[in-house]
Amino acid sequence: MIVLITGAAGFLGSHLCEKLLKEGHQVIGMDNFITGNPNNLAHLASNPGFSFIRHDVANFIFVPVKVDAVMHFASPASPNPASPYGYTNLPIQTMKAGALGTHNTLGVAKACNARYLLASTSEIYGDPLEHPQRETYWGHVDPIGVRSVYDEAKRFAEALTMAYHRYHGIDTRIVRIFNTYGPRMRLDDGRVVPNFLQQALKHQPLTVYGDGSQTRSFCYVDDLIDGIYRLLLSDEHNPVNIGNPVETTILEFAETINQITKNPAGMVIKPDMQLGDDPKRRQPDITRARTILDWQPITPLKAGIQKTIPYFKSELGIA
Ligand code: NAD
Ligand code: UDP
């Protein structure tokens, strides 16, 4: 296949480009670098199967060849208001990537009669009242909360994707991605894994927001990419959760990071940065992925963190 991947210079996009190339496909990467980094793709520059177009997906997309698949991953993805790369500081760009970017990428899929995969998110469940979250849950989202620029754009993107499927017959897929971590996460985008890992490696206290009782379920990037690739090859049109169902509180997660890195500095409690909009519990029900894709994550949290540390050490210049 010839595959267009938007958000290619980001954390997940760059791993996806690698996977598709490894599986023998040709990849056209697209990105405007608003939160991504060209260095994430530098190692692919000499690969004959890879080409790159610098472009903002909010504008009409011209692709010079007929593509067989479109994977729309372009969007800021960190909620942290303390980071210039957090979507709360890029609100209009985030809504445009999720709304106009989804419209334009669906347009490419329609023009090329290509299959389409939307990167959606666990955030469409908001601060969930159902636990764990199944794909049938409609969510609990504040439409004007600080996270709404991301949540509502992704909900619109899902609705538009289903509309193109139902009314234009486009062969679409929707992956609802839960918290994923690994090499190439942006160190300064404020998400919990890069924050905690760099604090720990510098022997600083880990910044726990709120009271730390909120939970997340962390998936190692290779597991996630494998699940997404299986979804691309499947013919499932309904949304599929991909993530690791092992749930941990942020306090327990901080303890785990300090233990693995032997950080003596402990942790410090900070106020809730998100004005009460920080989801309190998050855990995917992955029955659908297990059943339809024969997929489940295989990397335990501690092993995944160990695999991630060399990247952070190298970025921080720590031997
Ligand atoms: P990232 O910030 O590392 O990557 C996003 C990429 O999209 C960046 O390279 C950025 O420059 C690019 N981009 C943003 N707006 C663009 C635009 N208008 N035009 C072109 N490029 C644009 O984030 P990520 O973690 O790799 O997330 C990738 C996708 O996966 C996003 O759609 C995100 O919503 C989704 N997702 C990620 C997670 C996760 O845990 N990493 C969880 C849920 C959903
Ligand atoms: N968090 C934290 N300290 C940090 C960064 C994040 O305690 O330095 C918390 C954040 O409030 C949230 C969780 O960690 O409850 C996960 O945050 P992240 O930004 O990684 O993504 P989210 O899952 O909220 O989208």
Side-chain angles (χ1 to χ4, degrees), residues 15-214:
H15 285 278
L16 204 54
C17 289
E18 251 174 28
K19 170 75 174 174
L20 271 288
L21 289 166
K22 203 171 130 210
E23 297 290 340
H25 306 290
Q26 286 183 50
V27 173
I28 304 171
M30 180 171 285
D31 207 295
N32 67 350
F33 303 127
I34 188 170
T35 61
N37 186 342
N39 291 343
N40 288 340
L41 296 173
H43 63 299
L44 301 180
S46 59
N47 189 317
F50 183 73
S51 58
F52 182 79
I53 302 172
R54 182 172 186 163
H55 183 69
D56 181 339
V57 295
N59 300 319
F60 181 86
I61 298 170
F62 173 75
V63 183
V65 291
K66 185 178 178 301
V67 298
D68 303 295
V70 177
M71 304 182 83
H72 180 35
F73 277 67
S75 171
S78 165
N80 197 328
S83 163
Y85 303 101
Y87 52 71
T88 44
N89 287 314
L90 299 166
I92 315 294
Q93 294 94 328
T94 302
M95 297 216 76
K96 286 169 95 173
L100 306 180
T102 302
H103 190 214
N104 289 327
T105 51
L106 280 164
V108 173
K110 182 165 167 268
C112 295
N113 197 20
R115 64 180 70 190
Y116 184 85
L117 187 145
L118 171 71
S120 186
T121 166
S122 52
E123 279 289 321
I124 69 111
Y125 301 120
D127 192 3
L129 302 178
E130 180 178 304
H131 194 80
Q133 292 79 53
R134 284 175 296 178
E135 291 89 346
T136 47
Y137 178 50
W138 290 5
H140 180 232
V141 176
D142 177 354
I144 55 161
V146 291
R147 287 183 179 241
S148 65
V149 293
Y150 182 69
D151 301 9
E152 296 293 12
K154 291 288 188 181
R155 288 169 71 94
F156 174 88
E158 287 202 9
L160 192 65
T161 300
M162 290 310 290
Y164 267 68
H165 173 60
R166 290 186 182 120
Y167 296 100
H168 289 310
I170 306 300
D171 187 11
T172 59
R173 290 140 191 82
I174 297 172
V175 57
R176 291 186 181 152
I177 301 168
F178 282 66
N179 292 67
T180 302
Y181 67 95
R184 303 204 200 110
M185 294 193 91
R186 190 174 188 117
L187 266 67
D188 51 359
D189 83 2
R191 281 183 274 187
V192 68
V193 173
N195 271 12
F196 280 7
L197 269 182
Q198 64 183 306
Q199 288 159 352
L201 293 170
K202 292 185 204 159
H203 288 185
Q204 294 170 352
L206 309 196
T207 52
V208 172
Y209 297 158
D211 62 5
S213 66
Q214 68 272 33

